[in-house]
């Protein structure tokens, strides 16, 4: 994985780039490698499990992740132009777990998703990659990040009442996450106690 990147400010829900399908990656070059390095640095600075390019304002179909699968094995990777495969309706089990998003920091709600997901695409060098999440955070992460690249935030997948609560949670602690977070440290508050 590319390293040595710089954390960038995270784009919030409501910005147009967060709510439209992104452009496919067509050039696998030094610019893409630098973008991916910055994405990893941003994700780690924000203590996230995954990050899509539009979450730092970039209109490209690429996401990075570093989380655990159902066996608690750590898996990290880069996916460009992902194709998501989910189980057929009759063959799937839903995992109704709490979910959050770095683009709505500090807010969480329950979101049901299939407990199995597969993503095919390429890495930042253009090499083919496939990741399969079977339970754990990985299955949810692959779905969440692919959604971002298609212009969907997880709040679009929950009932209106839960979405309203998400926004209220985020508003209540907004001052803890300045607009340039995590490029600058989060403001410490009573929430940290």
């Amino acid at each position: 994985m590319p390293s040595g990147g710089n954390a960038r400010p995270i784009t919030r829900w409501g910005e147009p780039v967060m709510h439209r399908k992104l452009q496919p990656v067509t050039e696998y070059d030094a610019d893409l490698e630098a973008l991916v390095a910055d994405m990893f640095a941003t994700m780690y600075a924000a203590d996230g499990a995954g990050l899509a390019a539009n979450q730092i304002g970039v209109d490209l179909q690429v996401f990075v992740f570093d989380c655990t699968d159902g066996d608690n094995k750590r898996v990290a990777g880069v996916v460009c132009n992902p194709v998501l495969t989910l189980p057929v309706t009759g063959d799937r089990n839903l995992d109704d777990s709490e979910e959050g998003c770095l683009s709505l920091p500090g807010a969480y709600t329950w979101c049901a998703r299939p407990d199995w997901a597969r993503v095919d695409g390429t890495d930042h060098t253009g090499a083919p990659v496939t990741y399969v999440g079977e339970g754990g955070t990985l299955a949810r992460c692959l779905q969440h990040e692919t959604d971002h690249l298609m212009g969907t935030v997880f709040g679009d997948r929950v009932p209106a009442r839960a979405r309203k609560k998400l926004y209220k949670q985020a508003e209540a602690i907004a001052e803890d996450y300045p607009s340039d977070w995590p490029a600058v440290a989060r403001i410490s508050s009573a929430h940290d106690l």
Side-chain angles (χ1 to χ4, degrees), residues 50-121:
L51 187 81
N54 56 346
Q55 292 185 273
I56 57 169
V58 177
D59 188 354
L60 271 182
Q61 289 185 22
V62 58
F63 71 81
V64 301
F65 65 95
D66 187 343
C67 57
T68 56
D69 66 8
D71 295 328
N72 286 323
K73 183 179 137 200
R74 187 172 162 204
V75 182
V78 178
V79 182
C80 300
N81 307 326
V83 175
L84 178 67
T85 303
L86 297 173
V88 202
T89 305
D91 294 333
R92 69 179 175 181
N93 295 312
L94 291 180
D95 171 20
D96 193 13
S97 294
E98 209 171 42
E99 191 165 327
C101 181
L102 295 177
S103 290
L104 193 70
Y108 300 89
T109 195
W110 300 95
C111 181
R113 290 189 185 265
D115 66 355
W116 183 94
R118 172 182 165 156
V119 167
D120 296 283

Side-chain angles (χ1 to χ4, degrees), residues 20-21 29 42-43 55 61 77 80 101 115 124 129 132 141 143 156 163 179 185 190:
R20 67 170 181 258
K21 185 175 179 179
D29 56 14
T42 304
M43 177 183 71
Q55 292 185 273
Q61 289 185 22
C80 300
C101 181
D115 66 355
H124 60 287
V129 293
V132 177
C141 181
Q143 294 170 71
D156 297 333
R163 194 168 35 256
S179 62

